Amino acid sequence: MSILNLLNPSKDNLQSNLYLGSFLVGISLLDVFLNSFLKLNITSFLPSIISILLPFFLGMFGLHLMRIEFSGIKNLDRLNKNINTNNFNAALTLLIIFLIIKAIPPVISWMILDANISGDSKDACTGSGACWTYIKVWFKRFMYGMYPNEQIWRVNLAFIFLVVLAFVGFITPQKYRNLLTLYYVVIYPIIAFILIYYLISGGEFGLEWVETGAWGGLSLTFIVSFFSLIFCFPLGMALALGRRTELPIIKYVSVGFIEFWRGVPLITVLFMSSVMFPMFLPEDFFMDKLVRVIIAISLFEAAYVAEVIRGGLQALPRGQYDAAKSLGMGYWKMHIFVILPQALKLVIPGMANTFLALVKDTPLIFVVGLAELAGMLQMAKTNPKWLGYAMEGYVFAAIIFWIICYAMSKYSYNLELKYKTDR
Amino acid sequence: MKLKKILPQLATLFVVILIFGFFTMNAQLNMENRGIDFGYGFLTQESSFDVQFSLIEYSGSDSYGRAYLVGLLNTLLVSVLGIIICTIIGVIIGIARLSPNYLIRTTAAWYVEFFRNIPLLLQIFFWYYAALRALPLPQDAEAIFGSSYLTIKGFYTPSLIWKNLDIFIYSVIAAIIAIIFVRIHAKRLRENEGKHLPVLNISIAILFILPILTFFFGGVNVGYETPELKQLAKTSFKFEGGLSIPPELLSLVIALSLYTATFVAECVRAGIQGVSKGQREAAASIGLNRKQVLNLIIMPQALRIIIPPTTNQYLNLTKNSSLAAAIAYPDLVLVFAGTALMQTGKAIEIVSITMLTYLTLSLSISFFMNWYNAKIAIVEK
């Protein structure tokens, strides 16, 4: 009778089932834990295959015993509802927990316990873990490329200015609020260009000239994505409006432009900008490679931005257009004051995704010889003094990019909530 | 009023013509000055470079046209493999994100957040330069399932040697045609007489039985060749024979499918969530069983939401496969826009062919998608 009760857990023998179940689950977790963290196998007296599978079956049986509906114990009910609804879910739960326990020790020991960070040459890396010394030594290169060390303050200063100027929107008095769009679309890019041209590039005001070939690292990623972002947005907006007009020539030019750029991979666009585009320019006309790349990326992303904005324009109800027209507004007035503010609000998530894609696409400029972060990693990896630390470099870059992109996506999510208007 | 409409159009046309004219003029001048002539004649010339990995016979004495074909086929190979794997992972993760199990849901969500937010190029580099470099050398590799080897030089697995392969392929095609007829018949039966045929079971049976029959009657035979470890020099070993997958292809497919799977997963999740709860309840209330609810009510509606954005992701995967050039996998961009361009110097011709190829691929798929969307759109009365 008691055996039968054990196999069919019910509320009647809640206590015994609960104790036995949690005991079994505890044993199984302990076994995996000891195995993974302390390299102890407490079931080594069993044949190996049973020894490996034992914690899983113990855990399964334990969870089975604990699966009692409406037990009245709040935590147990929550546990059953969330991770232990049936045998299949229990199995997956156990596998995930085991996997996490198994994965933690090697990751932690590689990243922290066995890792080295002291010293400034390869000899300092004696542990079996990661060699963070490599990152430490190369840090300036990863951030600023081949930019001269004593001039790095110029890059920092330029970025600080840009960030501060970007926050102007938050402190403007109410009176000048309506000038903000003008500021962000026209004035800010011009200031940014001047700042980067005179401060980072130099050549005037007693600042040493640094050619764009020496720019690199994460700061180049920022410069390229920043300018492409600024240029692609107005262009994309114009294309979206162009695609929606009734004027056939403008419409088909826009459609052709959008479909062309959306149909080709960015890498071929970059190839085009670096090998084919110079052929299209007058012979004595020199355009810097970085400028060409920024133009290429802007044109490419503008097509995607256009499609996103078009989605927003299409999603607006016809009534908005009709109402604006009935008030006697012309095309531009209608779009600037009625249509675009609403449409742009609708497309915030799509825009954020496009900008995220832009930031994630910038490492590609490495194929035309501009060494931003990924490119610098390639360079550092093949440096004869530092062979064999590819993994550390990629983990470092992945963490940086992940933080940037994750922050952007979370920010856009908040923006979306903030501007959400109920209809 | 008329003028207001014509003037901007004329201005646009004028600017477009001006830009194109300016570029063409410059291109002509530049090419004249450098002594390059424009033309696609080079495609039939001997290419005289080798390609590491190709699906068709190719050597340096073949033409540039054939090199283009090699690159295109390699691109398509990566894309097809990537699409298959990313669909499998994406569907699993997408469904897992809706699981009632908290742990599974969270793990799936972190998978998506993790792989989506790291640039694809970095992921490819990671797999190629870091992860796959940690694999053992050929002589130290341990066998997987007795005869496959995962080494630093690639993945080696037994290859199948077919006798009368064509007959086998014909039988598979015949089986597929038979299944289509069965489906049509089943649909007619369902609509006219209300009878249900177990279409899935019949299809699976046909798909297996017909090709198996060819082994007995069609003279089809299959053998296999296992990879053998050969010693080239004192410390240099190599696997020979069997099917070998180079590490470039391996890392490219892994990175592309893991990355794209996150987007597919989001499409799948959105599609399943997009079917309103009322549909399920309504279907249950008219007496359909669970399987019928899923097959006849939920899936057709969910697929309508899932398929268009997912195709877009497949297209992105195909375009992203051009990143292969960064790790020297001989795809279209590397073979044609890389090596061939360096050798011939015909920048305009080669870049334009490469772009046109991708453009044709994308446009044909998007035309197909527009047609498909129009076909499956819900016609409201």
Side-chain angles (χ1 to χ4, degrees):
Chain A
M1 190 61 201
S2 65
I3 297 284
L4 213 71
N5 278 344
L6 275 180
L7 290 179
N8 290 315
S10 71
K11 222 177 154 183
D12 305 332
N13 44 11
L14 180 70
Q15 291 297 325
S16 53
N17 269 332
L18 186 59
Y19 285 137
L20 190 59
S22 45
F23 176 70
L24 288 176
V25 173
I27 289 279
S28 89
L29 291 183
L30 185 73
D31 182 29
V32 177
F33 182 81
L34 289 177
N35 205 334
S36 151
F37 278 79
L38 304 171
K39 306 250 182 305
L40 274 177
N41 191 356
I42 50 173
T43 53
S44 56
F45 55 89
L46 291 166
S48 65
I49 183 85
I50 300 181
S51 168
I52 291 169
L53 292 177
L54 188 69
F56 179 71
F57 286 115
L58 282 182
M60 281 294 285
F61 190 56
L63 285 177
H64 175 74
L65 290 180
M66 284 161 74
R67 201 176 301 133
I68 303 162
E69 274 183 67
F70 310 117
S71 60
I73 305 169
K74 206 173 158 195
N75 285 335
L76 181 66
D77 278 348
R78 195 189 290 163
L79 188 84
N80 281 338
K81 196 179 151 201
N82 282 326
I83 63 170
N84 192 15
T85 41
N86 52 34
N87 281 330
F88 176 68
N89 266 333
L92 287 176
T93 303
L94 279 177
L95 286 181
I96 289 177
I97 294 177
F98 288 170
L99 205 71
I100 292 171
I101 296 179
K102 283 270 182 202
I104 286 175
V107 169
I108 288 195
S109 67
W110 186 81
M111 285 191 83
I112 299 164
L113 295 179
D114 292 341
N116 292 90
I117 191 160
S118 58
D120 47 12
S121 76
K122 194 179 173 178
D123 306 325
C125 289
T126 48
S128 57
C131 177
W132 299 124
T133 315
Y134 164 73
I135 303 294
K136 196 180 74 181
V137 172
W138 282 85
F139 187 77
K140 274 195 176 139
R141 298 281 82 80
F142 289 158
M143 290 296 120
Y144 306 102
M146 305 312 280
Y147 209 84
N149 270 345
E150 60 276 13
Q151 307 285 340
I152 281 175
W153 61 271
R154 281 158 51 182
V155 182
N156 291 336
L157 192 68
F159 278 119
I160 291 170
F161 269 131
L162 285 184
V163 172
V164 169
L165 286 172
F167 276 103
V168 163
F170 293 97
I171 51 162
T172 354
Q174 202 64 41
K175 223 164 95 187
Y176 303 109
R177 277 273 146 128
N178 42 10
L179 294 176
L180 270 186
T181 322
L182 182 74
Y183 171 74
Y184 276 119
V185 176
V186 183
I187 301 174
Y188 185 60
I190 294 174
I191 297 178
F193 181 78
I194 292 172
L195 263 176
I196 285 179
Y197 187 79
Y198 283 109
L199 210 52
I200 300 186
S201 187
E204 309 236 352
F205 307 117
L207 289 172
E208 200 184 315
W209 165 262
V210 183
E211 55 155 355
T212 51
W215 303 12
L218 195 64
S219 56
L220 185 62
T221 311
F222 282 141
I223 293 174
V224 170
S225 22
F226 177 78
F227 278 112
S228 313
L229 202 146
I230 284 177
F231 294 138
C232 76
F233 183 67
L235 190 59
M237 197 137 80
L239 284 170
L241 290 178
R243 196 173 180 160
R244 295 265 298 163
T245 68
E246 287 145 12
L247 312 175
I249 292 180
I250 296 185
K251 184 174 172 182
Y252 287 114
V253 167
S254 310
V255 171
F257 187 92
I258 293 172
E259 292 303 328
F260 173 74
W261 293 106
R262 268 163 46 90
V264 294
L266 181 58
I267 206 165
T268 58
V269 177
L270 291 174
F271 266 118
M272 188 175 95
S273 81
S274 77
V275 297
M276 187 167 141
F277 191 59
M279 300 278 267
F280 288 146
L281 294 175
E283 202 151 11
D284 49 346
F285 187 85
F286 174 75
M287 197 187 262
D288 193 87
K289 193 196 253 174
L290 185 64
V291 178
R292 277 183 276 149
V293 161
I294 289 177
I295 292 175
I297 297 182
S298 308
L299 293 177
F300 180 80
E301 296 291 343
Y304 286 86
V305 169
E307 284 300 273
V308 171
I309 295 182
R310 182 172 75 114
L313 292 175
Q314 277 178 343
L316 279 192
R318 250 197 85 84
Q320 295 289 335
Y321 290 88
D322 293 343
K325 273 181 199 156
S326 72
L327 286 175
M329 289 179 166
Y331 180 85
W332 290 110
K333 227 175 184 177
M334 172 173 85
H335 274 95
I336 291 173
F337 293 111
V338 180
I339 303 300
L340 281 176
Q342 296 184 70
L344 292 184
K345 213 183 275 177
L346 281 179
V347 297
I348 288 172
M351 286 308 268
N353 275 339
T354 316
F355 288 156
L356 244 156
L358 195 158
V359 174
K360 283 192 290 178
D361 278 343
T362 43
L364 267 185
I365 60 176
F366 136 87
V367 298
V368 292
L370 290 171
E372 55 70 72
L373 188 50
M376 284 315 292
L377 282 173
Q378 292 300 92
M379 205 183 279
K381 183 174 71 68
T382 46
N383 186 308
K385 280 186 192 160
W386 290 96
L387 288 177
Y389 295 114
M391 182 76 94
E392 285 84 347
Y394 293 126
V395 170
F396 170 73
I399 292 172
I400 287 191
F401 269 109
W402 191 84
I403 291 172
I404 295 171
C405 297
Y406 187 72
M408 271 179 78
S409 69
K410 278 284 160 273
Y411 179 70
S412 87
Y413 182 71
N414 289 340
L415 217 58
E416 192 189 332
L417 289 187
K418 188 177 156 194
Y419 286 111
K420 204 171 187 176
T421 26
D422 290 319
R423 294 184 174 280
Chain B
M1 194 61 209
K2 263 277 173 69
L3 196 71
K4 212 174 159 188
K5 279 191 175 170
I6 292 172
L7 210 60
Q9 300 199 54
L10 279 181
T12 320
L13 202 63
F14 182 67
V15 170
V16 170
I17 290 173
L18 204 68
I19 291 176
F20 270 96
F22 179 67
F23 281 171
T24 332
M25 199 183 72
N26 283 322
Q28 265 172 355
L29 268 176
N30 278 331
M31 285 201 291
E32 248 171 53
N33 288 345
R34 293 181 204 177
I36 316 171
D37 51 339
F38 182 84
Y40 292 92
F42 73 95
L43 282 174
T44 52
Q45 286 167 12
E46 191 178 295
S47 61
S48 65
F49 62 82
D50 246 342
V51 177
Q52 289 285 324
F53 173 80
S54 84
L55 291 176
I56 51 174
E57 289 287 317
Y58 174 81
S59 70
S61 57
D62 284 315
S63 65
Y64 282 110
R66 193 151 175 96
Y68 166 80
L69 203 62
V70 169
L72 182 62
L73 283 176
N74 281 345
T75 292
L76 290 179
L77 174 73
V78 171
S79 314
V80 170
L81 286 178
I83 284 173
I84 293 171
I85 299 173
C86 87
T87 311
I88 296 170
I89 303 176
V91 169
I92 292 174
I93 298 287
I95 293 172
R97 286 206 66 174
L98 297 169
S99 158
N101 189 328
Y102 172 79
L103 279 173
I104 297 173
R105 205 163 58 216
T106 325
T107 316
W110 277 105
Y111 170 88
V112 172
E113 288 294 355
F114 184 78
F115 282 99
R116 180 166 74 165
N117 284 328
I118 297 173
L120 180 59
L121 187 72
L122 267 182
Q123 294 194 32
I124 294 175
F125 279 163
F126 172 82
W127 287 106
Y128 184 60
Y129 288 113
L132 293 188
R133 288 288 157 93
L135 289 173
L137 289 166
Q139 60 267 37
D140 306 329
E142 279 183 41
I144 310 165
F145 302 122
S147 53
S148 299
Y149 302 88
L150 192 58
T151 75
I152 194 165
K153 286 182 182 164
F155 181 64
Y156 296 88
T157 191
S159 62
L160 300 178
I161 298 165
W162 291 87
K163 217 163 140 195
N164 295 335
L165 178 63
D166 45 346
I167 297 179
F168 182 78
I169 291 175
Y170 291 142
S171 75
V172 172
I173 294 172
I176 291 172
I177 293 173
I179 287 170
I180 293 173
F181 274 108
V182 169
R183 289 190 74 99
I184 293 172
H185 178 67
K187 196 179 173 194
R188 200 176 293 150
L189 215 61
R190 190 175 73 219
E191 278 166 7
N192 294 344
E193 300 174 29
K195 279 184 193 162
H196 281 274
L197 278 184
V199 180
L200 189 69
N201 294 345
I202 293 177
S203 311
I204 291 173
I206 294 176
L207 200 59
F208 277 96
I209 290 170
L210 213 60
I212 287 173
L213 279 179
T214 61
F215 277 87
F216 297 110
F217 302 110
V220 178
N221 207 344
V222 64
Y224 60 90
E225 185 190 38
T226 49
E228 302 275 337
L229 193 63
K230 290 263 164 65
Q231 191 164 19
L232 297 176
K234 202 176 176 191
T235 52
S236 160
F237 290 82
K238 198 186 162 199
F239 277 106
E240 270 176 14
L243 184 74
S244 73
I245 300 170
E248 290 88 12
L249 178 61
L250 215 56
S251 46
L252 199 60
V253 170
I254 295 174
L256 278 174
S257 41
L258 287 181
Y259 179 76
T260 316
T262 61
F263 297 96
V264 174
E266 290 298 273
C267 298
V268 170
R269 182 176 69 110
I272 295 174
Q273 278 181 334
V275 180
S276 66
K277 210 173 156 191
Q279 295 285 332
R280 197 184 291 264
E281 287 162 358
S285 73
I286 56 169
L288 299 180
N289 63 28
R290 258 183 77 89
K291 213 171 136 193
Q292 283 171 326
V293 173
L294 198 68
N295 281 341
L296 300 175
I297 308 295
I298 305 295
M299 281 326 271
Q301 296 186 66
L303 280 182
R304 190 172 282 144
I305 309 174
I306 293 171
I307 287 177
T310 309
T311 331
N312 228 342
Q313 294 307 329
Y314 292 162
L315 212 60
N316 279 347
L317 189 147
T318 312
K319 282 188 278 174
N320 281 336
S321 73
S322 59
L323 292 184
I327 56 165
Y329 170 78
D331 80 323
L332 183 61
V333 172
L334 185 78
V335 170
F336 204 58
T339 321
L341 195 148
M342 287 300 144
Q343 288 202 351
T344 57
K346 300 215 174 257
I348 297 179
E349 294 90 333
I350 284 184
V351 174
S352 64
I353 292 179
T354 315
M355 287 182 125
L356 266 181
T357 310
Y358 280 106
L359 203 59
T360 320
L361 222 60
S362 318
L363 286 185
S364 49
I365 291 183
S366 64
F367 273 123
F368 172 76
M369 277 329 294
N370 285 345
W371 169 82
Y372 179 81
N373 277 341
K375 191 176 162 251
I376 63 166
I378 299 174
V379 186
E380 283 179 31
K381 279 175 190 154

